[in-house]
Amino acid sequence: MDKKYVYLKMIKSSPTPMQSQLSNHFSKVAKDIGKDLTESEVKSHPSVQKIKANMPDIAPFVFKPLSVKQVNKYVSSIGNKKATGLDNIAAKILKKNQTGLSTPSH
């Protein structure tokens, strides 16, 4: 069965489980990346070295908290016909579950 069909069917029947699935998906999407590498191995990895060579003056990346209003504004601005990203989640699904996505989970 097509993934998009399953997602849309779940949204129609009960949005709350879908919100849980989205939360679960995004909390685990990169969980195991680099888990077997030491910090030294990560720093010396060829891809990391290439990034450093091409962008030597990058400031450290820091996550900044977003307000519910900011998240809602961004999700609302996504075009319904935009292609899915690597996560295969359609814009319609994000919009349908906007409240669950924008509400802090802590």
Side-chain angles (χ1 to χ4, degrees), residues 51-103:
I51 291 168
K52 285 183 178 180
N54 290 319
M55 304 176 96
D57 296 328
I58 295 176
F61 181 80
V62 178
F63 281 102
K64 295 178 183 175
L66 296 172
S67 69
V68 170
K69 185 177 180 179
Q70 288 171 303
V71 174
N72 284 332
K73 182 178 178 181
Y74 178 76
V75 172
S76 295
S77 73
I78 300 171
N80 285 339
K81 295 186 179 187
K82 286 285 187 183
T84 62
L86 295 175
D87 55 17
N88 289 320
I89 300 174
K92 287 181 185 180
I93 292 170
L94 293 173
K95 287 182 173 187
K96 181 75 176 177
N97 292 281
Q98 187 168 340
T99 302
L101 292 171
S102 64
T103 305

Side-chain angles (χ1 to χ4, degrees), residues 18-29:
M18 185 60 179
Q19 291 170 351
S20 297
Q21 281 194 334
L22 286 169
S23 176
N24 187 38
H25 171 75
F26 283 112
S27 66
K28 295 179 180 177
V29 75

